[in-house]
Amino acid sequence: MNDEALKTLVGQGLSAMKAGGDVAAQATADVRQDATDPELQQALDRGNEQAKQWQERIEQALEQAGGGDQHDNKVLEAHFEVSKLIRGQAPDAVSRDLGIIASSQLALHYWIASFGTMKAYTAKLDLTEASQAMDQCSDEAGEADKQMTALAQKIMAS
């Protein structure tokens, strides 16, 4: 693959990630209303703030890559719909909170994979700042995933 084709792919990927960030912001606001565990509410608030930083880094990486056509993010749109179903079908508050954690972790795994892929692609194109930003986002998403696992374990132990 030549660098120009890879640059196009990076623009498409980052554009889809940007659209995914918009979906995630809407989803977080919606999910936050259904969470009952105070620690989960705090984790969702922290995640929302972190996601804003990710969006800024994605936009900067997109600029560095030369932009890209606007894309939807059908993956995160579908995930948001599944999240609504999980929350709506929960028989009690604890089940709903655990479902929120599971959905959050699925979304985090999407972000870990996306950031990792874009890190590799931008590094190949010598887009150093973008590559470093994607690496930082990936690390942060991984840490958030670990925190969600620990929170789920704590909720199940109570």
Side-chain angles (χ1 to χ4, degrees):
M1 173 179 263
N2 67 40
D3 283 357
E4 204 52 44
L6 183 58
K7 197 170 188 177
T8 298
L9 184 61
V10 166
Q12 291 168 338
L14 289 169
S15 179
M17 289 170 69
K18 183 177 182 223
D22 295 338
V23 173
Q26 179 187 359
T28 301
D30 189 56
V31 168
R32 174 63 167 82
Q33 293 176 0
D34 286 343
T36 57
D37 183 88
E39 286 185 64
L40 176 56
Q41 292 170 338
Q42 290 173 356
L44 292 169
D45 291 342
R46 282 191 307 273
N48 191 39
E49 289 305 310
Q50 186 69 68
K52 290 176 186 175
Q53 292 177 352
W54 294 349
Q55 278 295 88
E56 289 174 18
R57 292 178 195 149
I58 291 167
E59 289 174 14
Q60 290 168 352
L62 192 53
E63 268 184 45
Q64 188 180 9
D69 296 333
Q70 186 172 354
H71 290 274
D72 291 336
N73 193 310
K74 299 296 184 190
V75 172
L76 285 180
E77 289 173 15
H79 179 71
F80 183 30
E81 291 304 314
V82 169
S83 168
K84 289 178 189 178
L85 289 173
I86 290 170
R87 288 180 284 126
Q89 295 174 359
D92 55 52
V94 172
S95 298
R96 186 174 41 256
D97 284 351
L98 290 172
I100 289 169
I101 291 171
S103 292
S104 296
Q105 287 187 285
L106 288 171
L108 285 166
H109 284 246
Y110 163 84
W111 288 112
I112 292 166
S114 296
F115 290 134
T117 298
M118 285 300 115
K119 175 193 177 230
Y121 293 176
T122 54
K124 170 74 170 111
L125 293 170
D126 293 323
L127 301 174
T128 306
E129 290 176 26
S131 180
Q132 290 171 345
M134 297 299 101
D135 190 39
Q136 183 177 3
C137 291
S138 179
D139 289 346
E140 292 165 354
E143 185 57 36
D145 179 54
K146 290 177 188 174
Q147 291 171 2
M148 284 292 187
T149 295
L151 181 55
Q153 291 170 333
K154 185 175 181 180
I155 291 172
M156 288 186 293
S158 357

